[in-house]
Amino acid sequence: AGPQEDQKFCLQEVLDTFKLCLSEKKDVYLEHYVAGWRGLVKFLNSLGSVFGFISKDAVNKINILVTYLHGENGSQYVTVQSMVKYELDNELVDLTKRGSHPESGCRTLLRLHRALRWLELFLERLRTSSEDSKTSVMCSEAYNESLSQHHPWVVRKAAGMAFCVLPGRPAFLEVMNVGPPEQVVAMLGEAVPLISEVYQITEELYAQQNLLDLP
Ligand code: 1PZ
């Protein structure tokens, strides 16, 4: 496959990486979590350059986590659970205001984690909607119910403008490279519960440790 091919998004690939995310004892592997996000960014990029400001931020956060994962303390970053423990035990997290650890793994992952909730809500809408439903509406409803609460006005505004240029549902399903719409819908039926489980496990961990509002 050439470079063009590598960039091509496939929903199956994202589904596979999210499947690999959970260990037997329901720990979340950071490597696969990040790989799932890489797949989603590919998808976003295939929708056009209007989404560049979104994918840029996601890529930036992915890269921060990958740097920890491949860094000298990489073994502490194997799972989200071990990362949280390591960073908290070693006071590597700014807990109440930004200070000397503005790019902790914990706060960086929290941003992607919140976006994962948006994704879950959006894909569930996409799965259950009819052919003539507007993706822009599904997208902004999902956003307003989740991620938007954590964004300042200017980001909400920009996101709202980007949603308006999303392709219609048929074209959108096509970009997922799965096959006919029924097949995409079936695959979404598999993907959404998986994404939801990864989200829930992370959410509970962060809630237990009081990390849901990290600056
Ligand atoms: C299919 C359409 C895609 C719509 C994506 C919906 C999400 C809109 C998010 C807009 C984010 C804009 C830019 C960056 C914002 C950052 O300020 C925040 C907070 O980070 P901080 O400033 O605290 O470091 N970043 C985020 O909230 C993470 C956003 C990641 C979004 C990834 C979306 C991936 C979409 C996958 C498509 C299937």
Side-chain angles (χ1 to χ4, degrees), residues 83-98:
M83 172 187 83
V84 165
K85 184 176 186 328
Y86 168 73
E87 289 195 345
L88 288 180
D89 286 353
N90 292 280
E91 295 178 33
L92 296 172
V93 185
D94 291 340
L95 294 172
T96 50
K97 57 176 176 27
R98 306 203 86 184

Side-chain angles (χ1 to χ4, degrees), residues 11 43 45 55 63 65 67 70 78-79 82 91 94 103 112 114 118 120 134 136 148 154 174 182 186 191-192 199 208:
L11 182 64
F43 178 67
N45 288 338
S55 72
N63 288 342
L65 293 172
T67 302
H70 295 159
V78 172
T79 66
S82 66
E91 295 178 33
D94 291 340
E103 295 195 331
L112 295 178
R114 289 167 174 168
W118 162 80
E120 177 193 346
K134 282 200 176 310
S136 57
S148 78
V154 53
E174 190 134 338
E182 314 82 68
V192 174
Y199 176 83
Q208 266 167 20

Side-chain angles (χ1 to χ4, degrees), residues 10-28:
C10 175
L11 182 64
Q12 179 73 56
E13 188 191 309
V14 172
L15 184 57
D16 291 343
T17 51
F18 277 107
K19 270 186 193 154
L20 293 171
C21 264
L22 291 180
S23 78
E24 238 164 84
K25 24 183 287 241
K26 303 283 181 191
D27 284 347
V28 179

